[in-house]
Amino acid sequence: MKLINAILIALTFFSMTATANLENDFFRNPDVVAPKLSPQGQHLLYKKLVDNNYTVILAGTDFSWDTKVISFGLQSKRVISDFGWLGKTYFSVTTFDRHSGMQLLVYKVDEANSLTQVALLKHTYLFDPLLAVDDTFIAQRYKNGKAHLFTINVTEDSFEAQFRSKKRISKGPFPEGGWLLNSFGEPNVNFISEGGVTEVHVKRADSRKWQQVWRQSDQTKFIPVWFDDAKNELLVLSEQQSGYQSLSRYDIQSQTFIGEVYRLPGRDIVGIIQNPYDSSIIGYTYMLGGVLVQNYDNKLSTYTSASEDKEDSYVIHFDQDYQKIVTINQSIDSPSAYYLFDTKTGHSQLIGEERPWLNKYSLGKSSVIKSISSDGVEVESYLTMPNNPSVKDVPLLVMPHGGPLGVNDTRHFSVDVHYFVQKGYAVLTPNYRGSSGFGKKFLNSGKRQWGRLIEDDIESAVTQAIARQDIDGQKVCVFGISYGGYSALISAIRRPDLYKCAISYAGVTDIPLLFSDHNISEKDDSRRVLIDILGDPNESWDTLVEYSPVYRMNELSIPIFIAQGGRDRVVDSEHYFRLKYVLDKLGKPYESMFFGNEVHGFNYINTQQALYNSIDQFMQQSFAQSEVTPTL
C-alpha cells in the first residue's frame, strides 16, 4: 500500500457528505461543560459553545437571565481552562495560551447582576478558592520558573502588592512540592516524590516547625488528603493496610497507620469527596463494573444513584446549604446532561447537554466481560455492541488503553468507542494488568510485561468476546494510542492468526529508544521510573529489543497502519520514522499518516476526524483482503 497523504485523505473525507456528518457529529467540541453554583445558590457559572465561541456564562438559578462573561473562538490560541466561585459575589476565570501561559481573571457580580472585572493576573492560576473565608483565595504564581502560593483578598485595592515575595505562604521543606491547606488557607502539609522516595512533612497549628512524618520508597503509595490537627492524624490514600487503596488514618506521633476511614473489599477507592465550604470529607468514589459510584455519608446520598446497567446521576456541585445541587446524568451509553435540582421543591431543570446532536443516533450498548488470562488472573473488559440485536457477524475492534500502568478504561460514554460502534463495529476495551482500580498487586503485575502477560490478558478478553455468536471472529482488528499503539503493533507480530489488522497512533516502536531521550539522565527520576516499568537496559537490553516491534517487522504478515504527531513530547516521532524506515527496507506494505502540528493525542478536531475515517477505511479493506488472501 502506498503512503497515505494526509491532505488528500482530508479532502477525500470532506467530499463524502454522509461520512463527514458522522465524523463532524462525534468529533467536535461539547456544547455545555461543568456548571458550578455560587455558595448561596443564586448563580450558575458554566462554559457553553455560543456561535463557535467558547463562552463562560453567568446565569441566575431561576433561569430568568444570563450574560456572557468572556469568549474565545475555537481557533483562538488562548482557551478557557477553568472557572469557579471565590465567594458569594466574586468568581474567577482561568485562561491559557501555550506561549504566554496562565492568566487569572477575577470578576464581581453585584445585587443587580451586573459584572465588573476587578483583576487580570498574569502567570497565575487558582490554587484554592478557600470558600470557608469569603472574598479570599489562594493563588499560585510562576516567578522565575518557580511556582509560589499567595493569599489574595479581593477587597484590597492592589492585587499585585499581595504577590510580593515576603507574602509568599509556600515556605515549607519542599517549596516546589505538593501542598495541603487547612480551612483557613494555611499550609499544613508539604510533600514531594523525588529520587524514588516520597517524603511528607506536616506543621501543627501551634508550631512554626515542620515535622517529617513519612519517608519511604514511592512504591508504597502514600497520598496526603487532610491533616486533622486536633487528633494528630493525617488522612491518606494508601494501599498499605489491605493491598487496595483506602482512606487511612495515620498517627503523626507514632508514625503508624491506626485504622481506615473508608475501605472497600476487593477494589480501590479512587477518589475522596470534600465539602468545598469547610474542607470536610463527605464521601468517596470507586468503580463498579466500569461505572463510577459516589458514596456520600451525608444528605447528598439521597440525590445520587449508581448501577452497572442504568443511567447514573452524580452530584458535581452544590451550594453551602445543600438547597440547590448540580447533577450530571452520565449514562453508560449516551452523552452527559447537566441538571439543577432544587431540594425544597423537588424540581429538576435541564441546564444543558454536552452533545445534544448525538441524540439522533441509536447508540451502542455496553456490557462487562470477564476472562481468565494465561496465568489464571481475572481480567475485566467492556464490550460495546451496535444497538441492533438482529445484526450478526459483527467485526470486532480491540482498543487497549494507554499507560500502561495506573490507567483504566470505563463504561462511561466515549466518543471514540461510539464512533466505531456507529460504523458497525463491536468495540472491546480491556483493563489488562497494570490498570488502576483493581488493587496494588494487579497494578504492579503489569510491570516489565510489555508484549508478554499484558498482551495475554488482552488476548484472553478477545477470545471471550469472539466466543459470542454475534461477533465475527474472522474480522478482528486492534487499535491503540501510546501504549495501546505499542500493543497493537506487538499483537500484530504475536497473533496474526487472531488479528487481521493493527493500527498504532503515537505507539512506542523501539523500547530502548525511550531511554535515549535527551531529557533523561542516568540520575533522572524519569529513567528510574522507566527501569521500574520496563527493566534496566544495562541488564536486559536483549529482552527490551526482543519485545520492540521495530526489530521484528520481518515477522509481520498482516496489514498495519501507523500514525504520529510531529510535536509529540511523550513518544518521540523518531519511533514512527524508525518503523517506517524498517518497513520500507523490508518491503512490507503499510499505511501511514503524519501530522506535523499534533501532540500525544489530538489538539485539532480535523486531525481526529481524518485519522478515524481513514482507520475505518483501512479496516474494511483489511477485512476484505483477508477473505481472499488467507494469513500464512
Side-chain angles (χ1 to χ4, degrees):
M1 301 180 191
K2 296 182 179 179
L3 174 68
I4 295 179
N5 185 287
I7 298 177
L8 290 178
I9 284 295
L11 291 174
T12 302
F13 150 64
F14 283 115
S15 69
M16 301 167 62
T17 305
T19 302
N21 288 337
L22 188 65
E23 268 84 27
N24 288 340
D25 280 342
F26 275 84
F27 302 112
R28 60 189 283 189
N29 290 289
D31 186 51
V32 173
V33 180
K36 297 178 181 178
L37 274 164
S38 62
Q40 293 185 314
Q42 297 174 320
H43 301 98
L44 275 171
L45 280 174
Y46 56 92
K47 186 165 69 171
K48 182 175 174 59
L49 200 56
V50 180
D51 299 327
N52 281 327
N53 293 301
Y54 257 134
T55 305
V56 174
I57 301 290
L58 173 69
T61 50
D62 60 359
F63 295 95
S64 64
W65 63 274
D66 62 51
T67 186
K68 298 177 182 177
V69 179
I70 189 171
S71 294
F72 293 100
L74 295 179
Q75 305 305 316
S76 172
K77 293 182 179 179
R78 182 161 289 278
V79 297
I80 298 164
S81 60
D82 197 13
F83 52 91
W85 292 93
L86 304 177
K88 298 174 183 177
T89 57
Y90 290 88
F91 65 88
S92 67
V93 176
T94 305
T95 68
F96 175 75
D97 181 303
R98 66 185 182 90
H99 295 294
S100 54
M102 292 281 190
Q103 288 186 353
L104 186 70
L105 296 94
V106 180
Y107 296 86
K108 181 179 181 179
V109 55
D110 63 21
E111 293 181 358
N113 299 320
S114 296
L115 277 179
T116 306
Q117 180 182 316
V118 298
L120 191 159
L121 309 173
K122 296 182 178 180
H123 309 298
T124 305
Y125 69 90
L126 181 65
F127 182 83
D128 190 329
L130 204 60
L131 295 179
V133 184
D134 198 33
D135 298 337
T136 301
F137 67 94
I138 307 299
Q140 189 158 37
R141 170 166 287 189
Y142 286 90
K143 286 187 175 183
N144 301 319
K146 296 182 178 180
H148 304 290
L149 299 181
F150 300 87
T151 303
I152 306 300
N153 188 311
V154 294
T155 64
E156 291 192 14
D157 292 335
S158 173
F159 278 81
E160 288 303 319
Q162 299 178 73
F163 285 99
R164 293 172 183 165
S165 296
K166 66 180 181 180
K167 291 183 176 291
R168 176 170 61 92
I169 64 171
S170 48
K171 297 178 180 179
F174 316 114
E176 298 302 304
W179 296 92
L180 295 182
L181 314 177
N182 63 23
S183 56
F184 302 105
E186 300 162 341
N188 61 1
V189 181
N190 187 207
F191 54 95
I192 196 168
S193 184
E194 191 172 64
V197 173
T198 297
E199 190 168 345
V200 180
H201 287 238
V202 301
K203 185 161 72 72
R204 298 286 308 275
D206 58 0
S207 175
R208 300 181 64 179
K209 294 182 179 181
W210 289 89
Q211 173 190 353
Q212 183 190 93
V213 298
W214 177 270
R215 191 179 192 278
Q216 285 196 28
S217 164
D218 58 14
Q219 295 294 319
T220 300
K221 186 176 290 186
F222 191 92
I223 304 173
V225 173
W226 179 252
F227 177 46
D228 190 331
D229 196 298
K231 295 181 179 179
N232 287 329
E233 289 179 4
L234 187 63
L235 301 185
V236 299
L237 284 171
S238 178
E239 303 147 333
Q240 182 75 0
Q241 294 188 269
S242 64
Y244 291 90
Q245 186 163 283
S246 64
L247 181 64
S248 298
R249 297 162 54 222
Y250 182 81
D251 183 80
I252 67 166
Q253 299 290 14
S254 63
Q255 299 194 6
T256 57
F257 289 94
I258 56 173
E260 292 170 307
V261 182
Y262 300 132
R263 174 186 177 183
L264 288 170
R267 65 182 66 249
D268 291 335
I269 288 174
V270 299
I272 298 300
I273 307 170
Q274 289 182 273
N275 186 328
Y277 303 106
D278 61 13
S279 300
S280 61
I281 295 173
I282 57 175
Y284 60 92
T285 60
Y286 62 95
M287 301 300 299
L288 178 64
V291 178
L292 183 70
V293 179
Q294 287 181 331
N295 192 312
Y296 285 92
D297 55 19
N298 67 2
K299 63 176 67 178
L300 287 175
S301 61
T302 308
Y303 310 112
T304 61
S305 60
S307 167
E308 292 187 39
D309 52 13
K310 73 180 186 68
E311 187 175 75
D312 303 310
S313 178
Y314 302 95
V315 172
I316 61 171
H317 218 256
F318 47 88
D319 65 23
Q320 60 189 5
D321 296 322
Y322 300 104
Q323 299 300 307
K324 291 185 172 63
I325 298 171
V326 174
T327 65
I328 178 172
N329 281 7
Q330 194 173 42
S331 171
I332 296 169
D333 297 316
S334 64
S336 301
Y338 299 99
Y339 291 84
L340 178 66
F341 181 72
D342 189 314
T343 61
K344 284 187 174 180
T345 65
H347 177 68
S348 188
Q349 173 78 41
L350 177 68
I351 300 170
E353 298 176 83
E354 281 193 352
R355 302 176 188 276
W357 47 83
L358 293 185
N359 292 333
K360 64 185 177 184
Y361 294 99
S362 178
L363 298 173
K365 298 296 180 184
S366 69
S367 60
V368 178
I369 285 184
K370 293 188 178 181
S371 59
I372 304 300
S373 192
S374 58
D375 62 349
V377 168
E378 184 179 78
V379 178
E380 183 173 288
S381 307
Y382 312 123
L383 180 68
T384 307
M385 297 289 297
N387 191 15
N388 186 345
S390 65
V391 173
K392 303 296 180 183
D393 298 326
V394 180
L396 178 66
L397 176 59
V398 184
M399 291 178 60
H401 62 70
L405 301 183
V407 181
N408 69 335
D409 268 314
T410 75
R411 289 169 65 207
H412 291 293
F413 182 82
S414 162
V415 291
D416 300 61
V417 168
H418 282 278
Y419 165 77
F420 286 113
V421 170
Q422 201 64 35
K423 284 284 191 175
Y425 303 94
V427 177
L428 180 68
T429 51
N431 275 320
Y432 50 76
R433 70 191 65 209
S435 300
S436 60
F438 301 93
K440 182 177 182 178
K441 182 179 179 181
F442 188 82
L443 188 145
N444 286 337
S445 67
K447 292 180 179 179
R448 305 192 181 192
Q449 292 302 322
W450 288 41
R452 285 160 275 183
L453 287 175
I454 288 178
E455 272 57 54
D456 285 358
D457 293 350
I458 295 169
E459 289 163 14
S460 76
V462 175
T463 301
Q464 188 81 1
I466 63 178
R468 294 169 53 117
Q469 293 185 347
D470 48 2
I471 298 285
D472 187 345
Q474 298 303 309
K475 292 183 178 180
V476 183
C477 193
V478 55
F479 161 52
I481 298 173
S482 194
Y483 179 85
Y486 163 86
S487 180
L489 293 172
I490 203 68
S491 294
I493 302 300
R494 282 170 50 107
R495 295 295 305 274
D497 59 318
L498 184 61
Y499 300 107
K500 294 299 182 286
C501 57
I503 304 107
S504 169
Y505 178 83
V508 172
T509 68
D510 187 341
I511 296 175
L513 181 61
L514 292 172
F515 292 90
S516 301
D517 191 298
H518 69 279
N519 292 319
I520 297 177
S521 66
E522 287 292 329
K523 296 181 180 180
D524 190 76
D525 262 6
S526 299
R527 182 180 179 85
R528 177 189 57 79
V529 171
L530 283 177
I531 289 173
D532 184 45
I533 294 173
L534 295 167
D536 191 336
N538 296 325
E539 300 172 359
S540 54
W541 180 271
D542 291 344
T543 301
L544 298 181
V545 168
E546 178 185 357
Y547 291 103
S548 295
V550 71
Y551 300 112
R552 297 179 60 182
M553 282 296 108
N554 60 305
E555 302 173 49
L556 183 68
S557 60
I558 66 171
I560 67 169
F561 184 117
I562 57 175
Q564 178 72 35
R567 292 177 46 233
D568 195 328
R569 298 296 178 264
V570 179
V571 176
D572 193 275
S573 57
E574 179 68 16
H575 287 267
Y576 166 85
F577 287 115
R578 285 191 180 194
L579 185 60
K580 279 183 86 284
Y581 176 82
V582 169
L583 289 168
D584 288 338
K585 281 294 184 181
L586 293 173
K588 295 286 185 179
Y590 67 96
E591 293 188 3
S592 64
M593 297 181 80
F594 186 81
F595 303 96
N597 288 324
E598 275 297 1
V599 293
H600 194 70
F602 302 102
N603 263 345
Y604 303 100
I605 289 175
N606 60 347
T607 300
Q608 194 173 13
Q609 291 174 339
L611 176 63
Y612 279 46
N613 178 260
S614 298
I615 289 172
D616 172 47
Q617 294 180 30
F618 168 76
M619 288 193 291
Q620 292 184 39
Q621 293 166 5
S622 299
F623 293 148
Q625 179 183 348
S626 70
E627 291 177 351
V628 297
T629 309
T631 301
L632 299 178

